Amino acid sequence: QVQLAESGGGSVQAGGSLRLSCVASEAIFSRYCMSWFRQAPGREREQVATIDTDGSTIYANSLKGRFRISQDNAKNTLFLEIENLKPEDAAVYSCAAGGQGCYADSDFVYWGQGTQVSVSS
């Protein structure tokens, strides 16, 4: 059973930046695409960014430019860098691994517990 553990969340002032990490318990990036999701209270879960097994990346259209997904294969670690944080970015950010793709919720087979990001204005 693969385990994913996020870290790096916290309370940041608007305009600041954060780097979130997601450590996998084993080397999976060559077999699973990886996505970051976020969910704010009272809102639907949103797929923020995806990195495929070939390293290609996809971002939610509304978030392009401020978010950057990357991974360190040697450390089994997925990253999400967020710049120019806005109050509306406040949410629990989670990483997930997709076995047959990273499109539908049913694609994702492993999920982390999430890390909280708070943004003060």
Side-chain angles (χ1 to χ4, degrees):
Q1 178 80 2
V2 174
Q3 297 187 354
L4 302 175
E6 302 94 336
S7 63
S11 183
V12 183
Q13 283 196 322
S17 60
L18 275 178
R19 188 175 78 161
L20 308 181
S21 300
C22 167
V23 179
S25 58
E26 58 186 81
I28 62 170
F29 296 159
S30 63
R31 294 177 285 129
Y32 295 88
C33 54
M34 301 294 297
S35 288
W36 281 99
F37 289 83
R38 68 182 185 181
Q39 187 166 22
R43 300 188 66 178
E44 295 283 324
R45 184 169 61 198
E46 178 181 23
Q47 189 170 11
V48 173
T50 294
I51 185 165
D52 211 334
T53 54
D54 62 359
S56 60
T57 58
I58 302 171
Y59 296 90
N61 285 334
S62 61
L63 303 177
K64 286 181 180 178
R66 296 193 299 116
F67 289 71
R68 180 174 178 270
I69 188 171
S70 62
Q71 61 192 33
D72 184 332
N73 294 331
K75 296 183 179 180
N76 298 334
T77 303
L78 177 74
F79 300 104
L80 182 69
E81 295 174 81
I82 313 171
E83 297 178 346
N84 188 22
L85 277 152
K86 302 178 180 181
E88 54 264 39
D89 293 324
V92 174
Y93 285 73
S94 302
C95 60
Q100 299 295 326
C102 282
Y103 305 107
D105 277 359
S106 58
D107 291 335
F108 295 93
V109 293
Y110 301 114
W111 290 85
Q113 292 297 312
T115 185
Q116 177 74 52
V117 172
S118 301
V119 184
S120 58
S121 55

